[in-house]
Amino acid sequence: MNYQAILESIQSELKDYKNTGKVATYIPELGKVDASKFGLHLNCINGNHYHLGASQERFSIQSISKVLSLAFALKLEGNKLWNRVDVEPSGDPFNSLVQLEYEKGIPRNPFINAGALVVSDILMSHLKNPKEDFLKYVRDIAGDQSIDYDTSVAASEMQHKYRNAALAHLMKDFKNIKNDVDALLDFYFHQCAIAMSCQQLAQAFSIFLNYSKQDQSQQALAVPTMLAKRINALMLTCGFYDESGEFAFRVGLPGKSGVGGGIVALHPKHYSIAVWSPPLNEKGNSELGMKVLELFTSKTEISVF
Ligand code: DON
């Protein structure tokens, strides 16, 4: 497969694309980003790499972190985690409160904000220094010790915490949050405020690829195959909130978006791919990022289907 030629043909096809998306401003610090930024990194299971644009420029990973915190929490907590978070698509926006009340504080899945808060609470109960230990986990799987929190983004979100605070307090009342709510929010906002490039994200998400038994060094970092099956299934069904069906329909890969404009997607047997373009559609997913990935699986004629 000539991936470089395919990526270049996508770039020229989208040269004059009229983006109708809007950069997220509900976390004021995110609104400062240059809307025209674009980067892409493709990390193939055979070790080949391809990239476009600002693939090494770091941006706020936001909800993409929810996949990494789930992988870390499952490693520490095991299947007991599923007693506190369900595995169904919500069909509602990522920060919605409506289902939580009648579903007695059990979030629909780990990728909506409520679910990620419960996963963060589980991590807090296991880790001595949650922020330091989580950052170490991300640095190790990405193979890059320079990755860090953008503390101005975390502080900016803390100042506008009301909706996440409401979710956490409601779940605390249902006894599905064990730790102090403000400490939990601080930890969760820091996870979202990790700054990473497309290259670093594609590398980190290679832990969900299905490496052959021969490839022992990669297998050592990868999450166990049956766990990867579950996490990839959740990315496919819940990774884009109430646009998860649309992403599966147009792209056909497990993936996860963030309001920083990043999307990571993967084909378990072939590659992980990260794309970044800040303007978001009305569901909170990168408009151009989705378009690029749709063209990528259409032109390569490879998807999980
Ligand atoms: O909690 C929030 O609202 C943000 N820190 C993360 C939201 C997000 O990235 C949703 N993604 N598309």
Side-chain angles (χ1 to χ4, degrees):
M1 182 76 65
N2 190 343
Y3 283 125
Q4 192 62 44
I6 289 172
L7 292 180
E8 280 164 16
S9 80
I10 293 171
Q11 193 172 34
S12 70
E13 201 168 318
L14 294 177
K15 200 165 39 60
D16 301 318
Y17 182 77
K18 296 271 171 289
N19 203 322
T20 63
K22 301 256 179 311
V23 171
T25 51
Y26 78 100
I27 302 171
E29 201 62 24
L30 292 183
K32 295 182 179 168
V33 75
D34 175 351
S36 68
K37 291 282 181 184
F38 176 78
L40 178 149
H41 190 95
L42 171 65
N43 170 46
C44 294
I45 203 160
N46 63 8
N48 290 343
H49 292 263
Y50 306 87
H51 53 88
L52 289 177
S55 61
Q56 300 204 30
E57 187 165 333
R58 298 173 196 216
F59 57 90
S60 195
I61 69 170
Q62 293 298 319
S63 286
I64 296 172
S65 66
K66 292 173 174 146
V67 188
L68 305 179
S69 43
L70 176 66
F72 194 22
L74 281 168
K75 194 169 146 157
L76 300 171
E77 175 87 352
N79 283 330
K80 283 203 313 278
L81 181 145
W82 304 119
N83 297 332
R84 293 176 57 188
V85 193
D86 207 345
V87 294
E88 294 298 338
S90 71
D92 273 332
F94 59 85
N95 53 8
S96 173
L97 282 142
V98 290
Q99 288 165 341
L100 261 192
E101 166 78 7
Y102 60 81
E103 294 182 351
K104 301 194 168 33
I106 304 290
R108 276 285 172 110
N109 67 68
F111 297 154
I112 51 174
N113 287 10
L117 285 163
V118 172
V119 170
S120 299
D121 188 59
I122 290 170
L123 282 175
M124 271 185 93
S125 300
H126 279 276
L127 301 173
K128 212 155 156 205
N129 301 300
K131 282 193 265 187
E132 289 81 351
D133 298 345
F134 183 73
L135 188 58
K136 181 180 180 323
Y137 174 76
V138 174
R139 287 173 170 173
D140 289 349
I141 60 172
D144 190 332
Q145 299 301 313
S146 74
I147 292 169
D148 216 337
Y149 295 118
D150 182 336
T151 49
S152 53
V153 173
S156 180
E157 190 162 14
M158 189 54 122
Q159 280 173 2
H160 296 81
K161 65 181 178 184
Y162 310 111
R163 191 166 268 271
N164 282 313
L167 290 166
H169 281 291
L170 184 58
M171 292 189 290
K172 181 101 181 161
D173 188 60
F174 280 112
K175 313 234 172 331
N176 200 15
I177 294 293
K178 315 288 179 198
N179 293 281
D180 174 73
V181 166
D182 278 332
L184 172 67
L185 290 171
D186 180 55
F187 178 39
Y188 166 74
F189 294 149
H190 273 79
Q191 291 164 46
C192 294
I194 289 183
M196 285 169 83
S197 66
C198 290
Q199 182 185 21
Q200 291 164 335
L201 278 171
Q203 186 61 41
F205 274 66
S206 68
I207 63 170
F208 304 113
L209 300 183
N210 200 339
Y211 285 98
S212 72
K213 297 221 172 4
Q214 286 76 32
D215 204 340
Q216 287 187 349
S217 62
Q218 291 291 356
Q219 267 207 338
L221 270 180
V223 304
T225 312
M226 285 301 106
L227 202 55
K229 176 185 83 170
R230 290 183 162 172
I231 295 174
N232 290 341
L234 284 167
M235 279 196 260
L236 185 81
T237 53
C238 312
F240 298 81
Y241 317 108
D242 47 341
E243 202 171 32
S244 298
E246 179 84 8
F247 190 84
F249 181 78
R250 284 172 48 190
V251 179
L253 296 174
K256 185 75 201 79
S257 63
V259 291
I263 298 181
V264 188
L266 61 99
H267 190 301
K269 292 189 182 354
H270 296 281
Y271 57 75
S272 48
I273 184 168
V275 57
W276 173 47
S277 163
L280 309 177
N281 63 21
E282 76 275 11
K283 306 284 187 181
N285 299 313
S286 170
E287 179 181 309
L288 184 60
M290 277 182 71
K291 185 80 199 151
V292 166
L293 291 170
E294 179 179 11
L295 285 173
F296 184 70
T297 51
S298 304
K299 285 176 189 280
T300 55
E301 296 186 15
I302 299 176
S303 80
V304 296
F305 305 108

